[in-house]
Amino acid sequence: MYKGSTNAPLPITLLYASDNAVAQGDFRAAVDNMSGNFKSAPLTAEYLVSKQQPPPGTIIFVDCYYSNFTGYQIIQFLKKSKLFFKIPIVVLSKINDYRTQETCWLLGADFYTVQPDSLQEFALLLECLVKLDWPTRKRDKKEFIYSLKNKITA
């Protein structure tokens, strides 16, 4: 979890890149069901090019099948941007596809996870992800596929 200089948790902002209204609604509903103080906002093309510095404690979630751009293009843009390249990127997908996972890894995403169908599981998945010690965490290919079931039983 992100910590400030007083070890108090900073507010966490969850940005979600998807142009699918249903997926955006599911994401907002999952964030609303999380325990804690979280903000969610859409990561729009306008936000990406606005030169606006994301707040500390931001985590970016990317819908891999974004239709106007591919999720791949968004990850590439984020990793090349001076404002976004250090921000954690989690790919949310409805599909468990090796080729897509491998491409996301090579482009620099931090995790790939299959989005649960249940709102409660989706909120729990997001909670587990935001509790990670992101500032000290190193990318690890062995842990790239993030599974809620593995995290609950670990």
Side-chain angles (χ1 to χ4, degrees):
M1 168 123 13
Y2 289 105
K3 304 273 185 187
S5 59
T6 62
N7 276 346
L10 294 172
I12 306 260
T13 300
L14 309 177
L15 296 177
Y16 184 49
S18 177
D19 59 356
N20 180 308
V22 173
Q24 289 174 2
D26 290 347
F27 188 83
R28 276 192 307 275
V31 171
D32 290 345
N33 277 283
M34 292 170 63
S35 57
N37 187 14
F38 303 99
K39 297 186 296 185
S40 71
L43 182 61
T44 61
E46 292 80 14
Y47 187 99
L48 288 171
V49 298
S50 72
K51 307 284 190 231
Q52 179 181 347
Q53 179 70 44
T58 295
I59 300 171
I60 296 174
F61 294 84
V62 176
D63 178 349
C64 210
Y65 296 99
Y66 202 96
S67 63
N68 290 334
F69 302 98
T70 67
Y72 303 145
Q73 290 170 314
I74 293 170
I75 296 167
Q76 285 177 310
F77 178 88
L78 293 169
K79 288 302 179 183
K80 290 179 182 177
S81 166
K82 291 179 183 177
L83 293 175
F84 295 98
F85 81 98
K86 288 187 177 181
I87 296 176
I89 298 172
V90 177
V91 177
L92 288 174
S93 181
K94 290 282 190 180
I95 300 169
N96 194 3
D97 173 60
Y98 175 77
R99 264 186 265 132
T100 303
Q101 294 164 351
E102 185 67 16
T103 302
C104 291
W105 168 260
L106 293 172
L107 292 173
D110 293 280
F111 283 118
Y112 184 99
T113 188
V114 176
Q115 180 179 324
D117 292 324
S118 152
L119 179 62
Q120 289 76 17
E121 284 186 21
F122 193 9
L124 184 57
L125 172 74
L126 295 177
E127 284 181 27
C128 289
L129 285 162
V130 298
K131 288 179 182 177
L132 293 173
D133 187 5
W134 286 103
T136 63
R137 186 187 172 281
K138 303 258 190 272
R139 283 181 78 228
D140 183 346
K141 182 134 187 204
K142 290 182 263 179
E143 295 182 3
F144 181 63
I145 309 303
Y146 193 90
S147 168
L148 183 60
K149 291 179 176 127
N150 293 344
K151 301 307 169 193
I152 292 173
T153 59

